Amino acid sequence: MATEDEVSEFLSQNRETAAWAESLRGACETDKLWRHRREFILRNMSDFCVVGELPQNLDSNHKGLDRLIAYSMVWCNHVFTGCRYPHPVMEKVLKMAETIKVIDAPVRTTRDELVSKVKKRGIASSNEGIEDEHFKKQRSADGTCMKTAGQPSNVVTSCSDAQRTDAGYYQPATQERRNSRECNQQTVKGQLQSSVNTINVPRRLTSEDIKGRQSFFNRLYKTVAWKLVSAGGFGPNLNHSELLGNSIESLKSTLDIAFVPLKELADLPQNKTSLENIVCELRCQAVYLGMGCGKTKENAKAVASREAIKLFLKKKVVVRICKRKYCGRDVEDLVLLDEESRSPNLPPALNNPLDLI
């Protein structure tokens, strides 16, 4: 993710991650600043959170994400508002942002550069006077500056009223300023916690999701059985799509059909012929029934329907919670199986199953 285009492409292919990252954006954060801070967070996510998983239970304090957010704000404050921090903190964030290219960052004159220019001109002036004038202009241009405590995991705090020494540390403020700083600290902390709490924790499937659906599929099992008898049994000349669709409609439900080009499913074994370029997935009441490939949508639907009908040739069908691949990661799904099936080898899902329930 070294360029903006690569970040945009990554987020377009990982919509759940994109939505999660967007929840970390500050309410008053500009598009430009957020674009760079978002890249900083995404590039360093694996060092602070479990690889392949978004942080869970963030409302109970996720220390890794808290640290990453603090580092991202430190880096943006340094790049875009000219703030300086203790050397270990600066060294850490600059290393974390080594491959991030910022071509439109503002350019500012440091105190040392200003003093050097004054000396070259031969102007007689004390360091104190130069420092005061410089920081008046700096505060006027930037509004506020930000700082962190010695431990980088702490929350970023506002320090617009404090003065800074040559090394980047801050001089003690008056009691009134300290009170103001503590108030600002609580405000920023609240904003960070609010952002953290807005991340949606993925829903987990339970036995309650199975109960009502199992009752429906028990009735569907009997309906399909009667229609198979009327059609002369299961065979190659049977219109599997029509039989399955009519059986489901007779129970006042619908057959949900999804199609995707075979080449777009990276997790699907590429052992099909070049003619089988369409994948069809069948569901009913958000329960996966079967999948098939074909050269047309009708062919793919027919293959998927035949695989689904095969389930009803067993003694009993059951709805179970199984793991399937979706966008390269494991997700939970409701799957219809025969009662003897133990560890089914399921193909990847075309859509996120949890979005369908």
Side-chain angles (χ1 to χ4, degrees):
M1 282 183 283
T3 68
E4 181 181 345
D5 291 340
E6 290 176 347
V7 174
S8 299
E9 182 180 356
F10 171 79
L11 293 176
S12 67
Q13 296 174 359
N14 298 269
R15 296 181 179 179
E16 187 175 347
T17 301
W20 173 85
E22 194 64 27
S23 67
L24 300 178
R25 181 173 181 173
C28 301
E29 204 162 7
T30 65
D31 291 341
K32 181 176 74 172
L33 193 150
W34 167 240
R35 186 172 67 250
H36 291 297
R37 193 166 75 85
R38 178 181 62 186
E39 181 177 355
F40 184 97
I41 292 173
L42 293 174
R43 286 189 57 81
N44 295 282
M45 176 62 67
S46 60
D47 294 333
F48 293 84
C49 307
V50 177
V51 176
E53 296 182 6
L54 298 181
Q56 306 294 315
N57 300 322
L58 297 178
D59 54 343
S60 60
N61 186 22
H62 190 286
K63 293 183 179 180
L65 181 60
D66 287 345
R67 294 179 61 203
L68 180 56
I69 291 176
Y71 280 135
S72 71
M73 296 184 73
V74 165
W75 178 71
C76 282
N77 290 337
H78 169 69
V79 173
F80 293 101
T81 63
C83 292
R84 298 174 63 185
Y85 300 84
H87 179 71
V89 178
M90 290 298 304
E91 189 176 38
K92 175 71 174 178
V93 297
L94 292 177
K95 183 175 180 60
M96 292 170 68
E98 280 180 338
T99 57
I100 300 179
K101 296 181 180 179
V102 181
I103 60 176
D104 53 354
V107 178
R108 291 179 170 80
T109 304
T110 65
R111 173 189 176 280
D112 292 339
E113 290 172 340
L114 185 62
V115 171
S116 176
K117 287 181 180 180
V118 171
K119 288 182 177 180
K120 286 182 180 180
R121 293 173 185 172
I123 299 176
S125 176
S126 67
N127 287 345
E128 291 78 8
I130 295 173
E131 182 176 4
D132 290 343
E133 183 64 21
H134 170 64
F135 281 106
K136 283 180 183 179
K137 292 180 180 179
Q138 187 73 14
R139 284 194 296 271
S140 176
D142 299 340
T144 59
C145 62
M146 303 290 288
K147 84 178 187 77
T148 56
Q151 295 296 326
S153 60
N154 290 346
V155 178
V156 177
T157 60
S158 175
C159 57
S160 57
D161 291 330
Q163 289 186 339
R164 173 169 61 180
T165 67
D166 222 1
Y169 297 93
Y170 295 84
Q171 298 175 352
T174 63
Q175 182 61 43
E176 180 180 354
R177 291 174 178 173
R178 277 196 292 269
N179 291 340
S180 175
R181 186 165 65 247
E182 290 172 1
C183 179
N184 289 333
Q185 178 180 356
Q186 293 301 320
T187 300
V188 175
K189 184 177 181 180
Q191 291 174 345
L192 286 178
Q193 190 62 44
S194 176
S195 296
V196 169
N197 290 340
T198 58
I199 298 175
N200 295 322
V201 177
R203 180 178 182 274
R204 298 300 299 270
L205 297 176
T206 67
S207 58
E208 292 299 318
D209 295 305
I210 295 178
K211 280 185 179 180
R213 292 177 172 86
Q214 183 62 61
S215 176
F216 169 82
F217 282 103
N218 288 341
R219 290 184 287 125
L220 181 61
Y221 177 85
K222 295 178 181 179
T223 302
V224 172
W226 280 110
K227 289 187 178 293
L228 282 173
V229 172
S230 300
F234 183 87
N237 297 324
L238 180 67
N239 190 328
H240 305 95
S241 299
E242 182 178 344
L243 188 147
L244 181 62
N246 291 340
S247 299
I248 291 175
E249 289 177 5
S250 69
L251 297 179
K252 310 300 182 183
S253 191
T254 57
L255 179 65
D256 297 318
I257 308 171
F259 296 100
V260 166
L262 178 64
K263 62 183 180 180
E264 293 186 8
L265 287 184
D267 298 319
L268 192 67
Q270 302 297 309
N271 58 355
K272 302 295 181 182
T273 68
S274 59
L275 298 178
E276 296 175 317
N277 54 4
I278 298 294
V279 181
C280 175
E281 182 180 79
L282 301 181
R283 289 179 176 271
C284 182
Q285 298 197 358
V287 177
Y288 169 77
L289 304 181
M291 182 177 288
C293 298
K295 62 181 180 180
T296 67
K297 290 185 177 181
E298 284 302 316
N299 293 145
K301 179 183 175 183
V303 174
S305 299
R306 184 183 64 202
E307 294 303 308
I309 292 294
K310 285 182 180 180
L311 295 172
F312 296 90
L313 301 179
K314 304 295 182 177
K315 294 182 180 180
K316 184 180 179 181
V317 291
V318 293
V319 179
R320 290 179 181 165
I321 300 173
C322 300
K323 292 284 188 180
R324 296 182 70 190
K325 288 288 185 181
Y326 173 68
C327 291
R329 61 189 181 85
D330 289 331
V331 295
E332 289 185 338
D333 195 4
L334 295 174
V335 179
L336 187 69
L337 301 168
D338 67 83
E339 64 176 348
E340 298 177 355
S341 180
R342 291 293 177 264
S343 300
N345 185 19
L346 299 171
L350 303 193
N351 299 291
N352 189 344
L354 297 179
D355 292 340
L356 306 175
I357 298 174

